[in-house]
Amino acid sequence: MYKKLAEYITVGIVVLLLFFLFVTFLQVEKIDFRISYFFIFFVLLILFVKNEKTKGFLSKSFKENAGFLYLVIIIFLVFLPFPLRENPYLIHICIMIGLYSIMALGLNVYLGSFGMVNFCFGAYFGIGAYTSALLATNFHLSFWITLILAGIGGLLGGILVSLATLKNKGFYYVLVTFAFQQVFHLMVNNLEWTGGPDGVVKIPFPKIGSYSLGQPLNLFGVTLPFHANFYYLTLFLAILSILIIIRINTSKTALIWNAIRDDEIAANCHGINIFWRKVEVGAVGAFFGGMVGPLYGHYVGYISPEVFTWEVSAVLLSMIILGGINNISGVIVGVSILTILTEKFQLFSNYRTLVFGLIILFFLIFKPGGFIPERVRDYKGLIIGTKLSKEHL
Amino acid sequence: MSSILNQILHGLMLGVLYSLIASGYTLIFGVLNVVNFAHGDVCILGAFVLMTGVLILAPLSITLGSWYFIPFLILLAIAVTGGLGVVIERLTVKPFRKVGHMPLFLGSVAVAFIIREVIKHLYPDGANPKQFPIILTNLKFQWLGMDIRLSNLIIIAIAAALFISLFTFVNKTKIGLQIKASSEDIDAAQMMGVSLNKTYAAIYFIASCVGALAGILNGIYFQIMQYNMGVITGIIGFSAAIFGGLGNVYGAIIGGLILGFVESFTVAFVPGGTPYKEVFAFMIVIIFLALKPAGILGKKTIEKV
């Protein structure tokens, strides 16, 4: 009883500490005393990891109370805008982390689960954003309808690319995705009804009933800037996406994808229909890309073709490689680190492509798994759909 | 009529330039089964090395101004870029030889970023388009209503000479034969005493040299250079190589010429098609790859494990 309580408290304190550091890291503008928090944190971390007893206790309490851990994290995420309300730009950074997380999870379906490098993720993103923006400005459709339509638009784009690449793999696949990305960019940039190089402007804010997401949010007697609305919307969709991805990753579908990734011919010999699976992967990954489009467009208020280039895929690739390929928490860690670095440090953002290139190269050579490498599937107590008790294995 | 003839000439020039870039991709893929995604940027880098040389030596050229000045600079740029190709091989191919294709590819993507950004930040005012120095003649004349620049003819001559010397190099010299042997059976070649490290380095060196020359000729033809031209250049060259059949140098020539003519004919015959010329080229590549994935001269293969 007391042991369980101690474990709960440990998990709570560690998560609280991490969030405290996260908020501090967001708020630090120049070198001041708050830097010392990070120093203290690292000293504590080293002390804990060196000591076998505390290390065992920590890993045990995190492993056995996963549900409680996620609950605590979600509670902290819900309350995150409160300490940041003085500076809306910091909430903006958090929103961007959410948007990039959803996209990176979508790209990870290609890269991690299926082992294909996809370079047209910017096009899926753009298809979603343009679908929603054009429908909202020309036909005054509600955001919630266009959100779903944008996801479906991205999904159709993904299916189109997959159908065009049924016979291709490896470098040929990369080339076709790159060509598709260029075609999309050039078309959007030159067609008249998409607004050409100017893009679409004056995209309306989403509305729930008569409440517009563009007005400040009153929560528990505290007034938050309007960014908080979008923060909660993004948080909700990000958690939904993570749940969907977890569901896919623990299902037979992802197992089949991984089998194709590891050995296409062997998978084919076992009766897996590779063509159909390719279309499936294309559709699932692209749906997440398309879904982020309207979130971005309606939040920023305008979209232009410059946003939807192949660099979206490049940025996402470096985030995934930094964090850990095919590991959900790894991907989110990678996204958070790189988004904060690029959004926060102006000097850094001038050289960001250079740094992304160096990061990809460094991690590929020295740490191919990223910060949090992919976990090997654990079938203890789980055999495709039926839960077995521990005694069976 | 004369505009159509001009467009045909333009298409021929584009085709020659594309096939030069494509041959770099094809050389590397033919032996290593690797696509060096940074090749487009290597080409542009070659041009920028030359421009840097001109920039540094321009004040001296009054005193140095003799006939060997420009060829010397071109050779220097080619050699520097070739050396860089070896560095790229050591960084992106050697560590991943046994890992698989994806890290190899991602590594070269990263190198492409790095090259692009280095040009942007190190070359003076590198973010803006740069005028390429006129290193060949600026002479123009008219023939059958076509505006012909003398430099265009020189470009075609250089390209033809390069292709011929490439064929002789691969078929006659010792290193060329080693490369050829490795492309047929890499294990058997190793057993016969071919050094893998040396062969790989040699391939990257030659491919990057060809790329640098292609970049310089690109600069001479378009007379303008920008740090991020490598993306489009590389993708078009890669498309041309795949279109003709990766690993086949004749395929690279054919693919490059077809893509060049598609672009120029789009401008000539499709009303309002000028902004969409690359769209047409890419659409043809996508459709073609969907129907015949191995390319025009490629053979159908199922990869073994």
Side-chain angles (χ1 to χ4, degrees):
Chain A
M1 180 62 203
Y2 285 117
K3 217 172 179 182
K4 205 73 189 164
L5 200 65
E7 283 179 6
Y8 279 153
I9 291 171
T10 321
V11 170
I13 287 175
V14 171
V15 175
L16 178 68
L17 197 66
L18 283 175
F19 266 91
F20 177 70
L21 280 172
F22 181 71
V23 172
T24 320
F25 184 58
L26 274 178
Q27 284 177 334
V28 168
E29 292 291 338
K30 53 184 186 296
I31 292 176
D32 60 10
F33 69 96
R34 281 178 291 192
I35 298 287
S36 57
Y37 295 154
F38 295 95
F39 182 71
I40 295 169
F41 175 73
F42 279 113
V43 171
L44 281 177
L45 194 73
I46 289 165
L47 282 180
F48 271 120
V49 174
K50 284 277 179 209
N51 191 332
E52 284 296 322
K53 210 173 169 185
T54 47
K55 190 184 165 192
F57 179 69
L58 266 184
S59 64
K60 183 168 165 278
S61 39
F62 270 95
K63 254 180 205 156
E64 291 188 356
N65 305 304
F68 180 71
L69 173 68
Y70 296 139
L71 187 73
V72 174
I73 289 178
I74 288 173
I75 288 173
F76 276 112
L77 282 175
V78 167
F79 284 100
L80 189 61
F82 287 88
L84 304 177
R85 66 177 180 280
E86 299 294 323
N87 193 347
Y89 184 65
L90 300 180
I91 303 180
H92 167 79
I93 295 178
C94 296
I95 296 171
M96 292 319 277
I97 292 176
L99 297 184
Y100 273 124
S101 299
I102 301 174
M103 281 204 282
L105 287 173
L107 183 59
N108 188 44
V109 171
Y110 297 96
L111 189 73
S113 305
F114 213 70
M116 298 195 299
V117 184
N118 189 314
F119 259 102
C120 56
F121 218 74
Y124 302 151
F125 180 32
I127 289 173
Y130 269 95
T131 309
S132 166
L134 290 172
L135 286 176
T137 49
N138 293 337
F139 301 102
H140 306 290
L141 278 181
S142 159
F143 169 78
W144 311 103
I145 299 169
T146 58
L147 179 67
I148 295 166
L149 288 179
I152 292 171
L155 183 141
L156 290 178
I159 289 178
L160 191 71
V161 173
S162 295
L163 286 178
T165 54
L166 280 180
K167 287 182 179 176
N168 314 128
K169 59 179 181 180
F171 304 120
Y172 297 80
Y173 179 80
V174 176
L175 175 74
V176 174
T177 58
F178 216 114
F180 183 77
Q181 168 73 56
Q182 288 296 334
V183 168
F184 172 81
H185 181 71
L186 288 167
M187 296 294 269
V188 164
N189 209 358
N190 289 311
L191 287 175
E192 234 163 62
W193 53 273
T194 56
D198 302 331
V200 186
V201 290
K202 289 186 188 157
I203 305 170
F205 283 119
K207 276 191 173 129
I208 306 174
S210 62
Y211 176 78
S212 163
L213 291 196
Q215 64 197 53
L217 176 70
N218 263 311
L219 215 62
F220 309 121
V222 184
T223 310
L224 298 170
F226 84 94
H227 301 74
N229 294 312
F230 284 96
Y231 173 79
Y232 288 121
L233 180 61
T234 315
L235 181 65
F236 172 70
L237 287 175
I239 290 174
L240 200 66
S241 311
I242 292 171
L243 289 178
I244 293 170
I245 294 280
I246 288 176
R247 192 82 188 91
I248 293 173
N249 274 0
T250 50
S251 73
K252 196 177 159 186
T253 314
L255 191 63
I256 291 171
W257 291 349
N258 292 2
I260 298 173
R261 171 192 70 185
D262 292 339
D263 194 333
E264 197 170 315
I265 294 173
N268 206 353
C269 293
H270 281 268
I272 292 170
N273 186 343
I274 292 177
F275 282 6
W276 161 241
R277 293 292 166 185
K278 243 181 193 170
V279 176
E280 193 180 64
V281 166
V284 171
F287 179 79
F288 290 102
M291 201 181 70
V292 176
L295 273 179
Y296 175 82
H298 288 258
Y299 164 55
V300 178
Y302 66 93
I303 50 176
S304 67
E306 285 311 300
V307 183
F308 310 108
T309 56
W310 61 276
E311 286 183 27
V312 175
S313 318
V315 169
L316 290 173
L317 275 181
S318 46
M319 285 168 173
I320 293 175
I321 290 170
L322 174 77
I325 295 173
N326 207 9
N327 184 318
I328 294 171
S329 41
V331 168
I332 292 169
V333 167
V335 168
S336 311
I337 294 173
L338 282 191
T339 314
I340 294 175
L341 283 180
T342 44
E343 294 276 340
K344 228 179 131 44
F345 300 106
Q346 212 57 44
L347 177 74
F348 179 86
S349 70
N350 279 338
Y351 293 91
R352 68 180 211 163
T353 319
L354 180 65
V355 174
F356 286 165
L358 288 174
I359 283 174
I360 295 180
L361 204 58
F362 179 85
F363 272 83
L364 281 177
I365 294 176
F366 296 108
K367 211 166 182 320
F371 273 135
I372 309 177
E374 180 186 0
R375 257 180 277 166
V376 181
R377 281 164 188 276
D378 182 12
Y379 286 114
K380 238 177 218 171
L382 180 89
I383 288 184
I384 317 292
T386 54
K387 281 214 183 247
L388 299 177
S389 62
K390 276 181 187 168
E391 289 85 53
H392 283 89
L393 289 165
Chain B
M1 186 62 194
S2 68
S3 79
I4 290 175
L5 278 178
N6 271 330
Q7 285 301 334
I8 289 176
L9 187 70
H10 180 59
L12 179 70
M13 293 306 301
L14 282 180
V16 168
L17 293 173
Y18 290 165
S19 44
L20 272 176
I21 299 164
S23 62
Y25 280 102
T26 260
L27 265 177
I28 293 174
F29 188 85
V31 185
L32 277 65
N33 266 358
V34 169
V35 167
N36 178 18
F37 204 74
H39 189 71
D41 293 278
V42 170
C43 300
I44 299 304
L45 185 75
F48 266 94
V49 172
L50 179 77
M51 283 160 72
T52 316
V54 171
L55 206 69
I56 294 170
L57 295 179
L60 299 173
S61 69
I62 305 150
T63 50
L64 279 173
S66 37
W67 60 272
Y68 55 78
F69 179 57
I70 291 301
F72 166 73
L73 268 185
I74 292 178
L75 284 180
L76 189 74
I78 288 172
V80 167
T81 317
L84 198 97
V86 178
V87 175
I88 293 176
E89 192 271 327
R90 285 290 178 266
L91 274 178
T92 66
V93 178
K94 207 180 170 198
F96 311 124
R97 253 180 225 162
K98 292 190 179 122
V99 183
H101 282 202
M102 205 174 69
L104 277 168
F105 176 76
L106 289 174
S108 62
V109 171
V111 169
F113 288 167
I114 295 170
I115 293 177
R116 210 171 298 146
E117 290 297 302
V118 163
I119 295 175
K120 183 181 169 187
H121 290 295
L122 286 191
Y123 195 81
D125 191 23
N128 296 321
K130 293 275 139 211
Q131 186 75 34
F132 197 77
I134 296 160
I135 53 175
L136 296 180
T137 74
N138 210 7
L139 218 63
K140 272 185 196 172
F141 58 90
Q142 291 235 333
W143 183 62
L144 293 177
M146 290 188 281
D147 297 314
I148 300 177
R149 283 186 296 172
L150 190 60
S151 58
N152 292 0
L153 299 180
I154 300 177
I155 288 173
I156 293 179
I158 292 178
L162 185 81
F163 278 121
I164 291 166
S165 53
L166 209 59
F167 287 127
T168 15
F169 174 79
V170 173
N171 289 322
K172 300 280 188 236
T173 62
K174 196 180 166 191
I175 302 175
L177 286 175
Q178 287 180 352
I179 291 174
K180 219 177 159 188
S182 317
S183 81
E184 288 190 357
D185 191 333
I186 211 153
D187 295 325
Q190 252 182 303
M191 275 180 241
M192 303 311 285
V194 174
S195 160
L196 208 60
N197 275 339
K198 267 188 204 164
T199 321
Y200 277 31
I203 292 163
Y204 262 80
F205 182 79
I206 295 159
S208 301
C209 288
V210 174
L213 191 62
I216 292 169
L217 294 184
N218 242 317
I220 294 173
Y221 184 66
F222 291 110
Q223 296 177 337
I224 211 149
M225 271 285 141
Q226 202 177 356
Y227 75 100
N228 57 6
M229 272 170 81
V231 187
I232 290 293
T233 319
I235 288 303
I236 292 269
F238 187 20
S239 307
I242 281 188
F243 202 42
L246 258 183
N248 188 325
V249 180
Y250 299 106
I253 300 174
I254 294 173
L257 286 174
I258 290 177
L259 283 190
F261 280 122
V262 165
E263 277 198 20
S264 68
F265 285 175
T266 310
V267 175
F269 295 117
V270 181
T274 315
Y276 300 107
K277 57 183 200 289
E278 277 158 353
V279 174
F280 273 86
F282 284 132
M283 288 305 271
I284 282 183
V285 170
I286 292 176
I287 292 166
F288 188 81
L289 278 184
L291 300 177
K292 194 173 185 304
I296 295 173
L297 296 180
K299 288 182 198 124
K300 196 186 173 195
T301 51
I302 294 175
E303 269 178 48
K304 276 172 277 178
V305 186

